Amino acid sequence: MTGEEVFTETIARDQRVEPRDWMPDGYRKTMIRQIAQHAHSEIIGMQPEGEWITRAPSLRRKAILLAKVQDEAGHGLYLYSAAETLGADRGDLTRRLIEGRQKYSSIFNYPTLSFADVGVIGWLVDGAAICNQVPLCRSSYGPYARAMIRICKEESFHQRQGYELLLTMMGGTQAQRDMVQDAVNRWWWPSLMMFGPPDDRSPNSAQSMAWKIKRHSNDELRRRFVDMTVPQAEALGVTLPDPELRWNAERGSYDFGTPDWAELSRVISGDGPCNAQRIERRRRADEDGAWVREAAAAHAKKQMGIPA
Ligand code: BYC
């Protein structure tokens, strides 16, 4: 059998493609694109919540937030390693991010204005991430699917800590409840946009689904997220800012309004509220860390007996 035949059969049988297997160039490119974008999202995603570590209201909240942000760094590292199995170079991927040639999730271009945002990011953003990523545990590329299993376990903890924080705040003062509602109002629509453009405007979906990289379309996952989240909002006592949101008994699912797709396009193309700040911070961190990478590489060379 040719490499191409083996690949086609691997996909048809729902088995995993592994790094040394033959794969079409387009498959390799798509995997690098998606994994790199995902890795960048985890690393840039440390910024909005990281800003609250020094301002957490208690030692307990600070310890939880520190652990969560460190987990995100870990997710970024598993994912960059998965991209390396496809022949990508981590430094090159970072450069592409900083130069605006690779994307990261639109969601991290919105500001975190109060500590309630930390809870809402855990509940809605990690909730949306789980919805999107659980099916990716069955993605056809082995290293990505395996990384996703561990990431999803940690995301579940992230989601619960967010929800628990919000439950605590909702049981507090009116000012705390107002902070939560304000944060929900600001993060709801951007969370729905995390799933990507609508299916009829998603250029990559058909091929990614044929290759079983993606298992569900953007709209399917978005709908699943809304169905999962509305009862949680009710239990919490917050209102979701969508006048069109209502139960559709016939479909057994919620109807909901249309996100502002022009806003998503603007944010993806670099013109969101915090894009410039996020990238500038990432660029500085990369420059500040250059000497550490150089020292580590020199040490590794020495250990292996390679002349400097
Ligand atoms: N933001 O054809 P489409 C986390 C791009 S981090 C930005 O539908 P595809 C967390 C898309 O890339 C979790 N760009 O694309 C971390 C494509 O452009 P390119 C992040 C977006 O790939 C810290 C174009 O638009 N999750 O959980 O089939 C703290 C057309 O789209 C977005 C992942 O990365 C967007 N929202 O589907 C807390 C999950 N949407 O690349 C939490 C893995 C679309 O052709 N990724 N674009 O130039 C995926 O599942 C898919 O890549 C997407 C897009 C569903 C995002």
Side-chain angles (χ1 to χ4, degrees):
M1 267 167 82
T2 65
E4 187 166 2
E5 283 164 351
V6 173
F7 175 83
T8 306
E9 198 163 306
T10 303
I11 300 291
R13 290 191 174 174
D14 237 340
Q15 289 167 344
R16 300 283 164 269
V17 177
E18 296 298 338
R20 288 174 198 206
D21 295 345
W22 184 92
M23 60 187 88
D25 282 348
Y27 180 89
R28 187 182 298 277
K29 263 199 189 146
T30 298
M31 279 321 311
I32 293 177
R33 176 182 66 80
Q34 177 159 335
I35 298 174
Q37 179 186 310
H38 197 161
H40 298 328
S41 304
E42 297 283 357
I43 299 298
I44 295 267
M46 295 166 74
Q47 293 186 32
E49 290 172 282
E51 285 171 13
W52 283 92
I53 291 172
T54 56
R55 293 178 285 170
S58 69
L59 180 61
R60 177 169 175 266
R61 293 291 171 204
K62 187 174 182 134
I64 294 171
L65 187 54
L66 261 175
K68 179 180 193 284
V69 173
Q70 282 177 354
D71 283 352
E72 283 149 12
H75 298 173
L77 297 185
Y78 315 148
L79 289 164
Y80 284 124
S81 299
E84 282 176 327
T85 67
L86 290 155
D89 174 77
R90 192 182 302 198
D92 179 52
L93 297 180
T94 302
R95 255 189 314 281
R96 283 167 188 262
L97 167 71
I98 292 170
E99 290 168 6
R101 290 187 286 135
Q102 272 180 351
K103 298 184 168 77
Y104 60 95
S105 181
S106 51
I107 194 76
F108 302 116
N109 292 306
Y110 294 87
T112 39
L113 303 181
S114 81
F115 201 72
D117 290 36
V118 169
V120 169
I121 289 178
W123 174 40
L124 296 181
V125 175
D126 287 282
I130 292 168
C131 231
N132 172 268
Q133 287 166 206
V134 166
L136 293 175
C137 297
R138 292 186 297 117
S139 186
S140 57
Y141 188 58
Y144 187 47
R146 289 189 287 275
M148 216 45 71
I149 293 172
R150 181 155 177 187
I151 291 177
C152 283
K153 285 187 183 157
E154 293 177 351
E155 300 286 26
S156 303
F157 153 70
H158 295 174
Q159 205 251 1
R160 276 158 184 252
Q161 70 79 35
Y163 198 71
E164 190 265 346
L165 166 56
L166 297 179
L167 270 178
T168 307
M169 290 185 80
M170 290 304 285
T173 62
Q174 188 56 44
Q176 286 175 304
R177 283 192 285 278
D178 291 346
M179 274 167 73
V180 173
Q181 184 61 58
D182 173 62
V184 170
N185 293 347
R186 286 181 287 106
W187 289 92
W188 174 249
W189 291 107
S191 299
L192 293 191
M193 293 176 197
M194 282 177 75
F195 294 93
D199 291 352
D200 57 359
R201 278 182 264 163
S202 165
N204 300 305
S205 278
Q207 181 61 77
S208 288
M209 287 174 74
W211 277 329
K212 297 185 182 166
I213 296 169
K214 280 169 88 157
R215 296 286 179 155
H216 306 280
S217 76
N218 298 355
D219 286 334
E220 265 172 58
L221 292 173
R222 194 170 3 254
R223 201 172 314 120
R224 201 179 270 194
F225 172 69
V226 172
D227 286 343
M228 181 183 97
T229 309
V230 173
Q232 296 172 359
E234 283 165 4
L236 203 53
V238 295
T239 310
L240 296 172
D242 179 357
E244 292 176 51
L245 187 67
R246 63 182 59 84
W247 179 248
N248 181 327
E250 214 171 285
R251 285 197 306 106
S253 180
Y254 285 90
D255 290 333
F256 54 98
T258 307
D260 181 348
W261 298 125
E263 176 180 325
L264 176 65
S265 300
R266 273 198 309 279
V267 176
I268 291 182
S269 61
D271 195 18
C274 299
N275 295 59
Q277 178 190 331
R278 302 289 186 238
I279 289 293
E280 171 53 20
R281 193 129 170 228
R282 184 67 195 90
R283 189 188 60 73
R284 244 186 305 129
D286 188 56
E287 280 174 15
D288 290 348
W291 70 271
V292 181
R293 292 192 299 277
E294 276 165 30
H299 178 70
K301 268 189 177 173
K302 198 170 165 200
Q303 294 289 93
M304 288 188 283
I306 302 170

